[in-house]
Amino acid sequence: MAADFASPLPTGPDGESARVGRILSGLPAAARELLLATDWDSLRHAYGPAGDIPGSLCSLVDEDPEARSQALAALDMAVLHQGSLYTVTAPAALFVAAILEHPVGLAEHEGYFPWDEGPARSLRSALLSWLGQLAESAAYGGNPERDRVKWDWEPWHDETRGERDPEELAALSACRAIRPALYDAVEPHLSAPDPHDREAALGAAVPLLSAPKLADRAPRAAALLRVQLGAGMERRERASAARALSVWGMDTSDLLADTDPAVRVCAALGPVRRDRPRALAVLLDALRDPRTTDGWFPEPLPGLDGWFRFTVLRSALALAETFEEVAPVAVAVVAAGDTSVVDFERGPILLRAFDGGYDPAHPLSRAQRDLLRAFVDTDEATGGIGGNVLWFRAAGLPDNREGIAALL
């Protein structure tokens, strides 16, 4: 079923032709040339042929707020449907990057869907956020080590990663190829006067700079953030900056001693190259009081979803050199018996405890035994074993209470 988001370009009633003519004449040259030179009919989005997308792209800079809102909906629902990439995604993203400086970008963005809530923000901020979502999708699968730290990674993701048809692979390749151009458009907004623009730009810059070909640009971006870290930012922005520096592999040892615990934790979320024990201690301390940790960011930071503690836990498990380093906190998490988070807490903990898989030829360590005992003791109330069947199988363990109890 085709999505009825906006009229396609060229022809139509006189009023529509005049509208499109005004929009085209006001576009930056790069955006206008891309719009007119691309064979949109040969491309596809989530609902089929992409011949309707030029009209949506034009409407992004329409004078009518409702038209802009509808065009943003087309980007979300058709061009990047639930994070999926299509052959139209890359050229559409280049167009979005080319209009970031358009004057209408300062206009306030109105949500299209009922769930579009939150503080008022500019169209530019909305477009930067969309580029960030695209960049996250393009980055996924490029660095398995990075992917495993994501709050929603599951071991079977690696098994299905290569199961893409040629069109999906072409779309992924095209989106990865344009990352330098996207970053060039995003970087100036890291220092934007509008804090919403800065946050959205950083949300795009973090995954864009995860691309190997852009690694040499990370130090410059880090320098921009360092300047801002000392400029009286609020907690959310300082924490986002600390996370970016850490994810990019910068030295965040000074931020591990920050007066704000949220900043300290965010400074420890990446592949810390210095002060690993101190970074791990910061993460584990946050996991001892998960309600407070979750309360730091009622609205998830850009690039993160789910409760913040999920990201903190994944990072701690990845940073630990042995399960014993995290066992006391990990066992306490399982023993707490929260039934709503089986896949995002207990499963990853189990897999880390049996890294490489359970080997019946080797006796369980004390930490492994304590963990499995916590699963057995809480299973009747939480269904923690039955709810984690795939994780138990991935760890090479029995996937039922009786089988686990027999190991103890």
Side-chain angles (χ1 to χ4, degrees):
M1 181 178 74
D4 184 20
F5 291 117
S7 302
L9 253 184
T11 60
D14 290 344
E16 173 66 8
S17 297
R19 181 186 78 91
V20 171
R22 287 196 305 273
I23 290 174
L24 284 174
S25 65
L27 287 176
R32 184 169 57 251
E33 290 169 10
L34 182 123
L35 193 73
L36 298 175
T38 301
D39 182 6
W40 300 98
D41 288 325
S42 69
L43 305 175
R44 296 184 67 82
H45 55 53
Y47 300 97
D52 57 338
I53 292 303
S56 294
L57 296 178
C58 277
S59 293
L60 287 170
V61 292
D62 197 291
E63 297 173 354
D64 180 4
E66 186 175 346
R68 295 196 300 269
S69 177
Q70 197 174 35
L72 281 166
L75 288 183
D76 286 338
M77 294 296 291
V79 180
L80 192 65
H81 182 65
Q82 295 182 350
S84 297
L85 304 175
Y86 304 91
T87 51
V88 75
T89 308
L94 288 172
F95 180 90
V96 168
I99 63 169
L100 287 176
E101 301 295 341
H102 194 286
V104 80
L106 299 176
E108 187 173 301
H109 162 52
E110 295 185 9
Y112 180 79
F113 300 108
W115 55 85
D116 281 343
E117 299 177 351
R121 57 178 181 163
S122 68
L123 172 68
R124 180 176 296 154
S125 177
L127 294 176
L128 285 164
S129 294
W130 185 82
L131 288 175
Q133 294 167 26
L134 181 151
E136 287 285 354
S137 293
Y140 190 78
N143 184 338
E145 197 170 308
R146 175 182 180 269
D147 292 342
R148 291 188 187 105
V149 181
K150 291 180 69 67
W151 73 279
D152 58 348
W153 175 85
E154 296 169 327
W156 40 94
H157 286 176
D158 288 343
E159 299 172 7
T160 59
R161 179 177 293 152
E163 297 176 5
R164 291 171 168 162
D165 64 35
E167 188 170 284
E168 289 178 304
L169 291 173
L172 175 62
S173 178
C175 287
R176 287 179 173 175
I178 65 170
R179 287 185 290 192
L182 297 185
Y183 182 72
D184 286 342
V186 165
E187 188 189 68
H189 300 283
L190 292 174
S191 304
D194 184 337
H196 296 304
D197 285 2
R198 291 198 300 272
E199 176 173 301
L202 185 56
V206 169
L208 286 171
L209 292 184
S210 73
K213 290 184 178 179
L214 291 178
D216 61 337
R217 305 197 194 187
R220 173 182 163 82
L224 291 174
L225 297 188
R226 281 290 186 181
V227 170
Q228 295 172 29
L229 273 167
M233 286 180 178
E234 297 294 328
R235 160 181 278 181
R236 182 178 178 86
E237 194 163 6
R238 295 188 72 244
S240 292
R243 173 179 173 258
L245 294 172
S246 187
V247 169
W248 292 334
M250 302 294 145
D251 180 13
T252 57
S253 55
D254 60 320
L255 296 174
L256 294 175
D258 196 89
T259 56
D260 189 330
V263 174
R264 295 198 298 269
V265 168
C266 284
L269 291 179
V272 178
R273 295 173 181 172
R274 301 185 187 181
D275 290 337
R276 187 197 69 84
R278 187 156 61 116
L280 181 58
V282 165
L283 296 175
L284 293 177
D285 189 53
L287 292 170
R288 292 186 179 95
D289 187 7
R291 290 184 181 275
T292 296
T293 299
D294 284 338
W296 290 337
F297 310 112
E299 173 82 12
L301 298 179
L304 302 180
D305 284 305
W307 292 109
F308 186 55
R309 70 179 184 273
F310 297 162
T311 294
V312 177
L313 174 63
R314 297 291 180 109
S315 297
L317 295 176
L319 200 57
E321 292 182 346
T322 66
F323 179 65
E324 281 67 22
E325 283 189 299
V326 296
V329 169
V331 172
V333 168
V334 173
D338 189 336
T339 59
S340 64
V341 291
V342 289
D343 279 336
F344 306 131
E345 290 186 317
R346 297 193 200 115
I349 287 171
L350 185 73
L351 200 65
R352 182 64 184 86
F354 293 90
D355 190 20
Y358 167 63
D359 183 357
H362 291 85
L364 296 174
S365 69
R366 179 177 177 178
Q368 290 171 331
R369 190 175 296 276
D370 289 344
L371 178 66
L372 295 182
R373 172 58 62 188
F375 271 103
V376 171
D377 289 347
T378 60
D379 191 54
E380 186 174 345
T382 67
I385 295 177
N388 280 282
V389 165
L390 294 178
W391 289 94
F392 275 87
R393 291 174 183 170
L397 289 160
D399 59 14
N400 55 76
R401 188 176 187 275
E402 294 73 20
I404 296 299
L407 298 179
L408 301 174

